[in-house]
Amino acid sequence: MFNALLLDKQDDRTVASIQSIDESRLPQGDVLVRIEYSTLNYKDALAITGKGPVVRTFPMVPGIDFAGVVEESTHADYKPGDLVVMNGWGAGETHWGGLAQKARVPAGHLIPLPAGITTRQAMAVGTAGYTAMLCVQALEQHGVAPGDGDVLVTGANGGVGSFAVAILAKRGYRVMASTGRPEEAARLRELGAADIVDRQTLSAPGKPLQKERFAAAVDCVGSHTLANVCASLRYGGAVAACGLAQGMDFPATVAPFILRGVALLGVDSVYVPRERRIAAWNAIAADVPVETIERVASTIPLADAPDSAASLLRGEIKGRVIVDVNA
Ligand code: NDP
């Protein structure tokens, strides 16, 4: 038996409860993992509260990521005792995820824990930090470099945003952090932000072309914010778009693309091929100091996940929430 947060549907409402579950109910897979830590991501919060159509089948164990120890394996790549990380691949959406003490998954969904970080630190990074690294790598593959000018991060106090600020600053970029929580400016400066942008200056409908302010951007917010970011990029600039915290819509014009050669780089973390995944995780382990990883995270027990999910959607959480599934 193991403990899990289980989501069920009752009268069209999502109900979350901690349940003791028999291992035989775990889905098929090559590798059985004893989970040490999971996290709360924006998508998990939508799933747990039922506020977004994340879960495809019920009952569901939510949790799009976890880190832990291999307990059993029928796959040559893994043996008992190996430390592993999992994120994406539909965990917590189409098959049982990480907010539990055990998970059984296909070996291809796992990667080895990167050298130099613990399972707890890996979950302080979680899907958010890994997505932030994918965004930075997308910008750099496009040709963005530290000397080019200011780089904007929207949703800077969130999980992806906090890591994007830290990673860009560590790589020598001058980072402008856009936030709706100016009272957290000191925290963002500690992470490496050079200056703060009030998110209200980006969140209302704006002109198709605006003053050229940013060489590049990481956008976690979507909607009018992404449209304004595109309109404010310098000639040849690029934005890595990964989120929809303001909205799924994109009320923009083509002007920045056809008149300034701006590039809109979409970033998905869920189905990224294994090699790019490993490269992103290794870059995090190499580039993000452990003190920064620790500074970005707080830890809660599994039973607190539903309350914290609601707080996350109310925008009350700073940085990352690690879930200690054994606490
Ligand atoms: P968080 O909830 O931790 O952060 C979101 C941040 O967005 C908030 O902290 C807030 O930042 C800002 N925000 C919230 N509401 C609004 C609003 N109405 N208007 C403008 N800004 C707002 O989420 P994550 O960092 O985990 O995820 C960020 C986004 O990225 C989410 O939309 C998530 O779904 C997406 N995502 C996508 C992935 C992918 O594979 N493409 C992977 C991971 C996440 P502040 O307080 O600083 O203003």
Side-chain angles (χ1 to χ4, degrees), residues 170-263:
K170 177 78 189 341
R171 293 190 170 195
Y173 292 90
R174 188 168 188 279
V175 183
M176 308 290 282
S178 164
T179 183
R181 290 182 273 178
E183 67 279 12
E184 298 299 335
R187 176 183 173 279
L188 291 170
R189 287 184 196 278
E190 260 175 39
L191 286 175
D195 218 339
I196 308 298
V197 175
D198 179 348
R199 87 177 187 201
Q200 282 187 6
T201 62
L202 293 164
S203 57
K207 291 187 182 156
L209 282 179
Q210 300 169 30
K211 187 173 168 220
E212 296 182 43
R213 293 169 68 193
F214 311 110
V218 172
D219 179 62
C220 305
V221 171
S223 191
H224 291 294
T225 300
L226 179 57
N228 286 323
V229 169
C230 291
S232 308
L233 286 170
R234 285 193 194 163
Y235 191 92
V239 51
C242 71
L244 43 59
Q246 183 182 6
M248 179 99 119
D249 57 333
F250 180 42
T253 77
V254 295
F257 311 114
I258 63 172
L259 299 176
R260 288 189 185 156
V262 157

Coordinates of all heavy atoms in Angstrom, one line a residue, residues 170-263:
K170 N 22.6 34.4 -14.5 CA 23.8 33.7 -14.3 C 24.6 33.6 -15.6 O 25.8 33.6 -15.7 CB 23.4 32.3 -13.8 CG 24.6 31.3 -13.7 CD 25.4 31.6 -12.4 CE 26.7 30.8 -12.2 NZ 26.9 29.7 -13.0
R171 N 23.9 33.6 -16.8 CA 24.5 33.6 -18.1 C 25.0 35.0 -18.6 O 25.4 35.1 -19.7 CB 23.6 32.9 -19.1 CG 23.4 31.4 -18.8 CD 22.7 30.7 -19.9 NE 22.8 29.3 -19.6 CZ 22.6 28.3 -20.5 NH1 22.2 28.7 -21.7 NH2 22.6 27.1 -20.1
G172 N 24.8 36.0 -17.8 CA 25.3 37.3 -18.1 C 24.3 38.2 -18.8 O 24.7 39.3 -19.3
Y173 N 23.0 37.9 -18.8 CA 22.0 38.8 -19.5 C 21.6 39.8 -18.5 O 21.6 39.6 -17.2 CB 20.8 38.0 -19.9 CG 21.0 37.0 -21.0 CD1 21.5 35.7 -20.8 CD2 20.9 37.5 -22.4 CE1 21.7 34.9 -21.8 CE2 21.2 36.6 -23.4 CZ 21.6 35.3 -23.1 OH 21.8 34.4 -24.2
R174 N 21.2 41.0 -19.0 CA 20.5 42.0 -18.1 C 19.0 41.7 -18.1 O 18.4 41.8 -19.2 CB 20.8 43.4 -18.6 CG 20.4 44.5 -17.7 CD 20.9 45.9 -18.1 NE 20.6 46.8 -17.0 CZ 19.4 47.4 -16.9 NH1 18.5 47.2 -17.8 NH2 19.2 48.3 -15.9
V175 N 18.5 41.3 -17.0 CA 17.1 40.8 -16.9 C 16.2 41.8 -16.4 O 16.4 42.4 -15.3 CB 17.1 39.5 -16.0 CG1 15.7 38.9 -16.0 CG2 18.1 38.5 -16.5
M176 N 15.1 42.0 -17.1 CA 14.0 42.9 -16.6 C 12.9 41.9 -16.2 O 12.4 41.1 -17.0 CB 13.5 43.7 -17.8 CG 14.5 44.5 -18.5 SD 15.2 45.8 -17.5 CE 13.9 47.0 -17.6
A177 N 12.5 42.0 -14.9 CA 11.5 41.1 -14.4 C 10.1 41.7 -14.3 O 9.9 42.7 -13.5 CB 11.9 40.6 -13.0
S178 N 9.1 41.2 -15.0 CA 7.8 41.8 -15.0 C 7.0 41.0 -14.0 O 6.9 39.8 -14.0 CB 7.1 41.7 -16.4 OG 5.7 41.8 -16.2
T179 N 6.4 41.8 -13.0 CA 5.6 41.2 -12.0 C 4.4 42.0 -11.6 O 4.5 43.3 -11.7 CB 6.5 40.9 -10.8 OG1 5.7 40.2 -9.8 CG2 7.1 42.1 -10.2
G180 N 3.4 41.4 -11.0 CA 2.3 42.1 -10.4 C 2.5 42.2 -9.0 O 1.6 42.7 -8.2
R181 N 3.6 41.8 -8.5 CA 3.9 41.8 -7.0 C 5.2 42.6 -6.8 O 6.2 42.1 -6.5 CB 4.0 40.4 -6.5 CG 2.7 39.7 -6.4 CD 2.8 38.3 -5.8 NE 3.1 37.3 -6.8 CZ 3.3 36.0 -6.5 NH1 3.2 35.6 -5.3 NH2 3.7 35.2 -7.4
P182 N 5.1 44.0 -6.9 CA 6.3 44.8 -6.7 C 6.9 44.7 -5.3 O 8.1 44.9 -5.2 CB 5.8 46.2 -6.9 CG 4.3 46.2 -6.9 CD 3.9 44.8 -7.2
E183 N 6.1 44.2 -4.4 CA 6.6 44.0 -3.0 C 7.6 42.9 -3.0 O 8.4 42.7 -2.0 CB 5.5 43.8 -2.0 CG 4.7 42.4 -2.1 CD 3.6 42.5 -3.2 OE1 3.5 43.4 -4.0 OE2 2.8 41.5 -3.2
E184 N 7.7 42.1 -4.0 CA 8.7 41.0 -4.1 C 9.9 41.4 -5.0 O 10.7 40.6 -5.4 CB 8.1 39.8 -4.7 CG 6.9 39.2 -4.0 CD 7.3 38.7 -2.6 OE1 8.5 38.4 -2.4 OE2 6.5 38.7 -1.7
A185 N 10.1 42.7 -5.2 CA 11.2 43.2 -6.0 C 12.5 42.8 -5.5 O 13.4 42.4 -6.2 CB 11.1 44.7 -6.2
A186 N 12.7 42.8 -4.1 CA 14.0 42.5 -3.5 C 14.3 41.1 -3.8 O 15.5 40.7 -4.1 CB 13.9 42.8 -2.0
R187 N 13.3 40.2 -3.7 CA 13.5 38.8 -4.0 C 14.0 38.6 -5.5 O 14.9 37.8 -5.8 CB 12.2 38.0 -3.8 CG 12.2 36.6 -4.1 CD 10.9 35.9 -3.9 NE 10.9 34.6 -4.4 CZ 10.7 34.2 -5.6 NH1 10.5 35.2 -6.5 NH2 10.8 33.0 -6.0
L188 N 13.3 39.3 -6.4 CA 13.7 39.2 -7.8 C 15.1 39.7 -8.1 O 15.9 39.1 -8.9 CB 12.7 39.9 -8.7 CG 11.3 39.2 -8.7 CD1 10.2 40.1 -9.4 CD2 11.4 37.9 -9.4
R189 N 15.5 40.8 -7.4 CA 16.8 41.3 -7.5 C 17.8 40.3 -7.0 O 18.9 40.1 -7.6 CB 17.0 42.7 -6.8 CG 16.2 43.8 -7.6 CD 16.5 45.1 -6.9 NE 15.5 46.1 -7.4 CZ 15.6 46.8 -8.5 NH1 16.7 46.6 -9.3 NH2 14.7 47.7 -8.9
E190 N 17.5 39.6 -5.9 CA 18.4 38.6 -5.3 C 18.6 37.5 -6.3 O 19.7 36.9 -6.5 CB 17.8 38.0 -4.1 CG 18.3 38.5 -2.8 CD 17.6 38.0 -1.6 OE1 17.2 36.7 -1.6 OE2 17.3 38.7 -0.7
L191 N 17.5 37.2 -7.1 CA 17.7 36.1 -8.1 C 18.5 36.6 -9.3 O 18.9 35.7 -10.1 CB 16.3 35.7 -8.6 CG 15.5 34.8 -7.6 CD1 14.1 34.5 -8.2 CD2 16.2 33.5 -7.4
G192 N 18.6 37.9 -9.5 CA 19.5 38.4 -10.6 C 18.8 39.4 -11.4 O 19.4 39.9 -12.4
A193 N 17.6 39.8 -11.1 CA 16.9 40.9 -12.0 C 17.6 42.2 -11.8 O 18.0 42.6 -10.7 CB 15.5 41.0 -11.6
A194 N 17.8 42.9 -12.9 CA 18.5 44.2 -12.9 C 17.4 45.3 -12.6 O 17.7 46.3 -12.0 CB 19.2 44.5 -14.2
D195 N 16.2 45.0 -13.1 CA 15.1 46.0 -12.9 C 13.8 45.3 -12.9 O 13.7 44.2 -13.4 CB 15.2 47.1 -14.0 CG 14.9 48.5 -13.4 OD1 14.2 48.5 -12.3 OD2 15.3 49.5 -14.0
I196 N 12.8 46.0 -12.4 CA 11.4 45.5 -12.3 C 10.5 46.2 -13.3 O 10.6 47.4 -13.4 CB 10.9 45.6 -10.8 CG1 11.9 45.1 -9.8 CG2 9.5 44.9 -10.7 CD1 12.2 43.6 -9.9
V197 N 9.6 45.5 -13.9 CA 8.6 46.1 -14.8 C 7.2 45.7 -14.2 O 7.0 44.6 -13.8 CB 8.7 45.5 -16.2 CG1 7.5 46.0 -17.1 CG2 10.0 45.7 -16.9
D198 N 6.4 46.8 -14.0 CA 5.0 46.5 -13.5 C 4.2 45.8 -14.6 O 4.1 46.3 -15.7 CB 4.4 47.9 -13.2 CG 3.0 47.8 -12.7 OD1 2.4 46.7 -12.7 OD2 2.4 48.8 -12.2
R199 N 3.7 44.6 -14.2 CA 3.0 43.8 -15.2 C 1.8 44.5 -15.8 O 1.4 44.2 -17.0 CB 2.7 42.4 -14.7 CG 1.3 42.3 -14.0 CD 1.1 40.9 -13.5 NE -0.2 40.7 -13.0 CZ -0.6 39.7 -12.2 NH1 0.3 38.8 -11.8 NH2 -1.8 39.6 -11.8
Q200 N 1.2 45.5 -15.1 CA 0.1 46.2 -15.7 C 0.4 47.0 -16.9 O -0.4 47.3 -17.8 CB -0.5 47.2 -14.7 CG -1.4 46.4 -13.6 CD -2.1 47.3 -12.7 OE1 -2.0 48.5 -12.8 NE2 -2.7 46.7 -11.7
T201 N 1.7 47.3 -17.1 CA 2.1 48.1 -18.3 C 2.1 47.2 -19.5 O 2.3 47.7 -20.6 CB 3.5 48.7 -18.1 OG1 4.5 47.6 -17.9 CG2 3.6 49.6 -16.9
L202 N 2.0 45.9 -19.3 CA 2.0 44.9 -20.4 C 0.7 44.2 -20.6 O 0.5 43.5 -21.6 CB 3.1 43.9 -20.2 CG 4.6 44.4 -20.2 CD1 5.5 43.3 -19.6 CD2 5.0 44.7 -21.6
S203 N -0.2 44.3 -19.6 CA -1.4 43.3 -19.6 C -2.6 43.8 -20.3 O -3.5 43.1 -20.6 CB -1.7 42.9 -18.2 OG -2.0 44.0 -17.4
A204 N -2.6 45.2 -20.7 CA -3.8 45.7 -21.4 C -3.6 45.7 -22.9 O -2.4 45.7 -23.3 CB -4.1 47.1 -20.9
P205 N -4.7 45.8 -23.7 CA -4.5 45.9 -25.2 C -3.5 47.0 -25.5 O -3.6 48.1 -25.0 CB -5.9 46.1 -25.7 CG -6.8 45.6 -24.7 CD -6.1 45.8 -23.3
G206 N -2.6 46.8 -26.4 CA -1.6 47.8 -26.8 C -1.5 48.0 -28.3 O -2.1 47.3 -29.1
K207 N -0.6 48.9 -28.7 CA -0.4 49.2 -30.1 C 0.3 48.0 -30.8 O 1.1 47.3 -30.1 CB 0.4 50.4 -30.3 CG -0.3 51.7 -29.9 CD 0.5 52.9 -30.3 CE -0.2 54.2 -29.9 NZ 0.8 55.3 -29.7
P208 N 0.1 47.8 -32.1 CA 0.7 46.7 -32.8 C 2.3 46.8 -32.8 O 3.0 45.8 -32.7 CB 0.2 46.8 -34.2 CG -1.0 47.7 -34.2 CD -0.8 48.5 -33.0
L209 N 2.8 48.0 -32.9 CA 4.3 48.2 -32.8 C 4.5 49.3 -31.7 O 3.9 50.3 -31.7 CB 4.8 48.7 -34.1 CG 5.0 47.6 -35.2 CD1 5.6 48.3 -36.4 CD2 5.9 46.5 -34.8
Q210 N 5.4 48.9 -30.8 CA 5.7 49.9 -29.7 C 7.2 50.1 -29.7 O 8.0 49.6 -30.5 CB 5.2 49.2 -28.4 CG 3.7 49.0 -28.4 CD 3.2 48.1 -27.2 OE1 3.8 48.1 -26.2 NE2 2.1 47.4 -27.5
K211 N 7.6 51.0 -28.7 CA 9.0 51.3 -28.6 C 9.9 50.0 -28.5 O 9.4 49.1 -27.7 CB 9.2 52.1 -27.3 CG 10.6 52.7 -27.1 CD 10.7 53.6 -25.9 CE 12.1 53.9 -25.6 NZ 12.4 54.0 -24.2
E212 N 11.0 49.9 -29.1 CA 11.8 48.7 -29.1 C 12.6 48.7 -27.8 O 13.6 49.3 -27.7 CB 12.8 48.7 -30.3 CG 12.0 48.6 -31.7 CD 13.0 48.6 -32.8 OE1 14.0 47.8 -32.8 OE2 12.7 49.3 -33.8
R213 N 12.1 47.9 -26.8 CA 12.7 47.9 -25.5 C 13.5 46.7 -25.2 O 14.5 46.7 -24.4 CB 11.6 48.0 -24.4 CG 10.8 49.3 -24.4 CD 9.6 49.2 -23.6 NE 9.8 49.0 -22.2 CZ 8.9 48.7 -21.3 NH1 7.7 48.4 -21.7 NH2 9.2 48.6 -20.0
F214 N 13.2 45.5 -25.7 CA 13.8 44.3 -25.3 C 14.5 43.5 -26.4 O 13.9 43.5 -27.5 CB 12.8 43.3 -24.6 CG 11.9 44.0 -23.6 CD1 10.6 44.3 -23.8 CD2 12.5 44.5 -22.4 CE1 9.8 45.0 -22.9 CE2 11.7 45.1 -21.4 CZ 10.4 45.4 -21.7
A215 N 15.6 42.9 -26.2 CA 16.3 42.1 -27.2 C 15.6 40.8 -27.3 O 15.6 40.1 -28.3 CB 17.8 41.9 -26.8
A216 N 15.1 40.3 -26.1 CA 14.5 39.0 -26.1 C 13.6 38.9 -24.9 O 13.6 39.8 -24.0 CB 15.5 37.9 -26.1
A217 N 12.8 37.8 -24.8 CA 11.9 37.7 -23.7 C 11.5 36.2 -23.4 O 11.6 35.4 -24.4 CB 10.6 38.5 -23.9
V218 N 11.3 35.9 -22.2 CA 10.6 34.6 -21.8 C 9.2 35.0 -21.3 O 9.1 35.7 -20.3 CB 11.4 33.9 -20.7 CG1 10.7 32.7 -20.2 CG2 12.8 33.5 -21.2
D219 N 8.2 34.4 -21.9 CA 6.9 34.8 -21.6 C 6.1 33.6 -21.0 O 5.9 32.6 -21.6 CB 6.1 35.3 -22.8 CG 4.7 35.7 -22.4 OD1 4.5 36.6 -21.5 OD2 3.7 35.0 -22.8
C220 N 5.6 33.8 -19.7 CA 4.9 32.8 -19.0 C 3.4 33.1 -19.0 O 2.6 32.5 -18.3 CB 5.4 32.7 -17.5 SG 7.1 32.4 -17.4
V221 N 3.0 34.2 -19.6 CA 1.7 34.8 -19.4 C 0.7 34.8 -20.5 O -0.5 34.6 -20.3 CB 2.0 36.3 -18.9 CG1 0.7 37.1 -18.8 CG2 2.7 36.2 -17.5
G222 N 1.2 34.8 -21.7 CA 0.3 34.8 -22.9 C -0.6 36.0 -23.0 O -0.3 37.1 -22.5
S223 N -1.7 35.9 -23.8 CA -2.7 36.9 -23.9 C -2.1 38.3 -24.3 O -1.2 38.3 -25.1 CB -3.5 37.0 -22.6 OG -4.7 37.8 -22.8
H224 N -2.7 39.4 -23.8 CA -2.3 40.7 -24.2 C -0.8 40.9 -23.9 O -0.1 41.7 -24.6 CB -3.1 41.8 -23.5 CG -4.5 41.9 -24.0 ND1 -4.8 42.2 -25.3 CD2 -5.7 41.6 -23.4 CE1 -6.1 42.2 -25.5 NE2 -6.7 41.8 -24.4
T225 N -0.3 40.3 -22.8 CA 1.1 40.5 -22.4 C 2.0 40.0 -23.5 O 2.9 40.7 -23.9 CB 1.3 39.7 -21.1 OG1 0.5 40.2 -20.1 CG2 2.8 39.8 -20.6
L226 N 1.7 38.8 -24.0 CA 2.6 38.3 -25.1 C 2.5 39.2 -26.3 O 3.5 39.4 -27.0 CB 2.2 36.8 -25.4 CG 3.0 36.2 -26.6 CD1 4.5 36.2 -26.3 CD2 2.5 34.7 -26.8
A227 N 1.3 39.7 -26.6 CA 1.1 40.6 -27.8 C 2.0 41.8 -27.6 O 2.7 42.3 -28.5 CB -0.3 40.9 -28.0
N228 N 1.9 42.4 -26.4 CA 2.7 43.6 -26.1 C 4.2 43.3 -26.1 O 5.0 44.1 -26.5 CB 2.3 44.2 -24.7 CG 1.0 44.9 -24.8 OD1 0.7 45.5 -25.9 ND2 0.2 44.8 -23.8
V229 N 4.6 42.1 -25.6 CA 6.0 41.7 -25.6 C 6.5 41.7 -27.1 O 7.5 42.3 -27.4 CB 6.2 40.4 -24.9 CG1 7.6 39.9 -25.2 CG2 6.0 40.5 -23.4
C230 N 5.7 41.0 -27.9 CA 6.1 41.0 -29.4 C 6.3 42.4 -29.9 O 7.2 42.7 -30.7 CB 5.1 40.2 -30.2 SG 5.1 38.4 -29.8
A231 N 5.3 43.2 -29.6 CA 5.3 44.6 -30.1 C 6.5 45.5 -29.6 O 6.8 46.5 -30.1 CB 4.0 45.3 -29.8
S232 N 7.1 45.0 -28.5 CA 8.2 45.8 -27.8 C 9.6 45.2 -28.0 O 10.5 45.7 -27.5 CB 7.9 45.9 -26.3 OG 6.6 46.3 -26.0
L233 N 9.6 44.1 -28.8 CA 10.9 43.5 -29.1 C 11.7 44.4 -30.1 O 11.1 44.9 -31.0 CB 10.8 42.1 -29.6 CG 10.4 41.1 -28.5 CD1 10.1 39.7 -29.2 CD2 11.5 40.9 -27.5
R234 N 13.0 44.4 -29.9 CA 13.8 45.1 -30.9 C 13.8 44.4 -32.3 O 13.5 43.2 -32.3 CB 15.3 45.1 -30.4 CG 15.5 46.1 -29.4 CD 17.0 46.2 -29.2 NE 17.3 46.8 -28.0 CZ 18.5 46.8 -27.4 NH1 19.5 46.1 -28.0 NH2 18.8 47.4 -26.3
Y235 N 14.3 45.1 -33.3 CA 14.4 44.4 -34.6 C 15.2 43.1 -34.5 O 16.3 43.1 -33.9 CB 15.1 45.4 -35.6 CG 15.0 44.9 -37.0 CD1 14.0 45.3 -37.8 CD2 15.9 43.9 -37.5 CE1 13.9 44.8 -39.1 CE2 15.8 43.4 -38.8 CZ 14.8 43.8 -39.6 OH 14.6 43.3 -40.8
G236 N 14.6 42.0 -35.0 CA 15.3 40.7 -34.9 C 15.2 40.0 -33.6 O 15.9 39.0 -33.4
G237 N 14.5 40.6 -32.6 CA 14.4 40.0 -31.3 C 13.5 38.7 -31.3 O 12.9 38.3 -32.3
A238 N 13.5 38.0 -30.2 CA 12.8 36.8 -30.1 C 12.2 36.6 -28.7 O 12.7 37.1 -27.7 CB 13.7 35.6 -30.3
V239 N 11.0 35.9 -28.7 CA 10.4 35.6 -27.4 C 10.1 34.1 -27.3 O 9.6 33.5 -28.3 CB 9.1 36.4 -27.2 CG1 8.1 36.3 -28.3 CG2 8.4 36.0 -25.9
A240 N 10.5 33.5 -26.2 CA 10.2 32.1 -26.0 C 8.9 32.1 -25.2 O 8.8 32.6 -24.1 CB 11.3 31.4 -25.2
A241 N 7.8 31.6 -25.8 CA 6.5 31.6 -25.2 C 6.1 30.3 -24.6 O 6.1 29.3 -25.3 CB 5.4 32.0 -26.2
C242 N 5.9 30.2 -23.3 CA 5.6 28.9 -22.7 C 4.4 28.9 -21.8 O 3.9 27.8 -21.4 CB 6.8 28.4 -21.8 SG 7.0 29.4 -20.3
G243 N 3.8 30.0 -21.6 CA 2.7 30.0 -20.6 C 1.4 30.7 -20.9 O 1.4 31.4 -21.9
L244 N 0.4 30.6 -20.1 CA -0.9 31.2 -20.3 C -1.5 31.8 -19.0 O -2.7 31.7 -18.9 CB -1.8 30.2 -21.0 CG -1.8 28.8 -20.5 CD1 -2.3 28.6 -19.1 CD2 -2.7 28.0 -21.4
A245 N -0.6 32.3 -18.1 CA -1.2 32.7 -16.8 C -2.2 33.8 -16.9 O -3.1 33.9 -16.1 CB 0.0 33.1 -15.9
Q246 N -2.0 34.7 -17.9 CA -3.1 35.7 -18.1 C -4.2 35.2 -19.0 O -5.4 35.5 -18.8 CB -2.5 37.0 -18.8 CG -3.5 38.1 -18.9 CD -3.0 39.3 -19.6 OE1 -1.9 39.4 -20.1 NE2 -3.9 40.4 -19.6
G247 N -3.9 34.3 -20.0 CA -4.9 33.8 -20.8 C -4.3 33.0 -22.0 O -3.2 33.2 -22.4
M248 N -5.2 32.2 -22.6 CA -4.8 31.3 -23.7 C -4.8 32.1 -25.0 O -4.2 31.7 -26.0 CB -5.8 30.2 -23.8 CG -5.6 29.2 -24.8 SD -4.8 27.8 -24.2 CE -5.9 26.5 -24.5
D249 N -5.5 33.2 -25.0 CA -5.6 34.0 -26.3 C -4.3 34.7 -26.6 O -3.4 34.9 -25.8 CB -6.8 35.0 -26.1 CG -6.6 36.0 -25.0 OD1 -5.9 35.6 -24.0 OD2 -7.0 37.1 -25.0
F250 N -4.2 35.1 -27.9 CA -3.0 35.8 -28.3 C -3.5 37.0 -29.3 O -3.4 36.8 -30.5 CB -2.1 34.8 -29.0 CG -0.9 35.5 -29.6 CD1 -0.1 36.4 -28.8 CD2 -0.4 35.1 -30.8 CE1 1.0 37.0 -29.3 CE2 0.8 35.7 -31.3 CZ 1.5 36.7 -30.5
P251 N -4.0 38.0 -28.7 CA -4.6 39.1 -29.5 C -3.6 40.0 -30.1 O -3.4 41.2 -29.6 CB -5.6 39.8 -28.5 CG -5.0 39.5 -27.2 CD -4.2 38.3 -27.3
A252 N -2.9 39.6 -31.1 CA -1.7 40.3 -31.6 C -2.0 40.6 -33.1 O -2.9 40.1 -33.7 CB -0.5 39.5 -31.5
T253 N -1.1 41.4 -33.7 CA -1.0 41.6 -35.2 C 0.3 40.9 -35.7 O 1.2 40.6 -34.9 CB -1.1 43.0 -35.6 OG1 0.2 43.6 -35.4 CG2 -2.1 43.8 -34.8
V254 N 0.4 40.8 -37.0 CA 1.6 40.3 -37.5 C 2.7 41.3 -37.7 O 3.8 41.0 -38.0 CB 1.4 39.6 -38.9 CG1 0.4 38.4 -38.8 CG2 0.8 40.6 -40.0
A255 N 2.4 42.6 -37.3 CA 3.4 43.7 -37.5 C 4.8 43.4 -37.0 O 5.8 43.5 -37.7 CB 2.8 45.0 -37.0
P256 N 4.9 42.9 -35.7 CA 6.3 42.7 -35.2 C 7.0 41.6 -36.0 O 8.2 41.7 -36.1 CB 6.1 42.2 -33.8 CG 4.7 42.6 -33.4 CD 3.9 42.6 -34.7
F257 N 6.3 40.7 -36.6 CA 6.9 39.6 -37.3 C 7.4 40.0 -38.7 O 8.5 39.7 -39.1 CB 6.0 38.4 -37.4 CG 5.4 38.0 -36.0 CD1 4.0 38.1 -35.8 CD2 6.2 37.6 -35.0 CE1 3.5 37.8 -34.5 CE2 5.7 37.3 -33.7 CZ 4.3 37.4 -33.5
I258 N 6.5 40.8 -39.4 CA 6.8 41.1 -40.8 C 7.5 42.4 -40.9 O 8.1 42.7 -41.9 CB 5.5 41.1 -41.6 CG1 4.5 42.1 -41.2 CG2 4.9 39.7 -41.6 CD1 3.4 42.3 -42.2
L259 N 7.5 43.3 -39.9 CA 8.2 44.6 -40.0 C 9.5 44.6 -39.2 O 10.4 45.4 -39.5 CB 7.2 45.7 -39.6 CG 6.0 45.8 -40.4 CD1 5.1 46.9 -39.9 CD2 6.4 46.1 -41.9
R260 N 9.6 43.8 -38.1 CA 10.8 43.8 -37.3 C 11.5 42.4 -37.3 O 12.4 42.2 -36.5 CB 10.5 44.2 -35.9 CG 10.1 45.7 -35.8 CD 10.0 46.2 -34.3 NE 9.6 47.5 -34.2 CZ 9.0 48.1 -33.2 NH1 8.7 47.3 -32.1 NH2 8.7 49.3 -33.2
G261 N 11.0 41.5 -38.0 CA 11.6 40.2 -38.1 C 11.7 39.5 -36.7 O 12.5 38.7 -36.4
V262 N 10.7 39.8 -35.9 CA 10.6 39.2 -34.5 C 10.3 37.7 -34.6 O 9.5 37.3 -35.5 CB 9.6 40.0 -33.7 CG1 9.0 39.2 -32.6 CG2 10.2 41.3 -33.3
A263 N 10.8 36.9 -33.7 CA 10.5 35.5 -33.8 C 9.8 35.1 -32.5 O 10.1 35.4 -31.4 CB 11.8 34.7 -33.9

